[in-house]
Amino acid sequence: TVCTVDGQPNTTTYTISSYEKINNASPKMIDANAKAVDNTDYEWRITPSTTTVGEVYIQGKNEEKYLYRSGATLAVTNTPKAWTVTKGEGEYWYLRGVHNQGSYLVINTSTGAFNYWKNTTGSSTWSTKFVLNAKGMVTGIDAVKADANSSSAPVYNLKGIRTNRTERGPVIVNGQKRLLK
């Protein structure tokens, strides 16, 4: 079974954060213990449910650890729990924990506390929007290197497909983003 989120394969890992700033500072990220923290490198994998089409598990990278709803908050368990992950109108996603009352994860924009709502409306205090930042994916050209036209290194386009040196524009050379002229 293949599960895709925004065209990414289910081998992709993500950091998960709130869309809004919390307490007018920065967005909060979901760490390995399902807590809202200022910053974490912890990555989650979104894998297809083994029982229901359209549902997924949010699993810790390389771990038997899954996000789930525990009462009115977010927690981790060793047992897979089903979610739906739905794209919003912007660069955010709605996370709906269908394993317990089928409601959407929300985060308090003042405190960073989690809770659950039956809809995605949100409010000035609670937000249903979360950002999935794919790890290890090429998102754009960061720098232009003078030696990008060196003929010894293989060249890949931004989709990761090996290409020849006649292709112009943004490519990957020696694992670095470059611009071929």
Side-chain angles (χ1 to χ4, degrees):
T1 304
V2 175
C3 165
T4 62
V5 176
D6 238 10
Q8 304 294 342
N10 61 326
T11 54
T12 302
T13 57
Y14 304 87
T15 56
I16 303 174
S17 63
S18 62
Y19 181 71
E20 285 87 0
K21 293 179 178 179
I22 305 300
N23 201 17
N24 295 319
S26 60
K28 293 286 187 183
M29 303 177 84
I30 299 175
D31 73 0
N33 297 310
K35 304 297 180 205
V37 297
D38 289 332
N39 196 5
T40 183
D41 291 330
Y42 194 77
E43 299 171 31
W44 298 94
R45 179 172 285 118
I46 298 174
T47 59
S49 167
T50 56
T51 59
T52 307
V53 173
E55 293 180 359
V56 298
Y57 304 130
I58 304 176
Q59 179 182 8
K61 179 182 178 181
N62 302 322
E63 293 189 272
E64 291 298 320
K65 182 184 286 191
Y66 300 87
L67 284 182
Y68 83 108
R69 176 179 177 169
S70 176
T73 192
L74 188 63
V76 291
T77 181
N78 292 334
T79 306
K81 301 293 183 181
W83 294 79
T84 58
V85 179
T86 309
K87 183 84 166 129
E89 293 178 12
E91 294 300 315
Y92 55 84
W93 297 79
Y94 301 119
L95 309 178
R96 183 173 172 258
V98 296
H99 56 277
N100 186 336
Q101 302 179 21
S103 49
Y104 294 90
L105 178 67
V106 294
I107 189 166
N108 187 301
T109 57
S110 295
T111 66
F114 294 114
N115 209 320
Y116 292 84
W117 285 19
K118 289 287 186 185
N119 59 53
T120 61
T121 307
S123 70
S124 59
T125 304
W126 293 93
S127 172
T128 55
K129 302 172 184 176
F130 290 87
V131 176
L132 305 176
N133 288 314
K135 302 300 283 182
M137 298 291 113
V138 177
T139 58
I141 298 300
D142 292 332
V144 176
K145 304 287 184 187
D147 64 344
N149 292 312
S150 170
S151 61
S152 62
V155 176
Y156 299 89
N157 65 20
L158 293 185
K159 293 180 183 175
I161 300 169
R162 192 169 180 165
T163 185
N164 61 38
R165 296 199 159 273
T166 60
E167 185 169 314
R168 301 292 182 238
V171 294
I172 305 297
V173 179
N174 285 336
Q176 296 181 0
K177 295 169 258 182
R178 309 246 176 107
L179 183 63
L180 289 183
K181 299 176 183 176

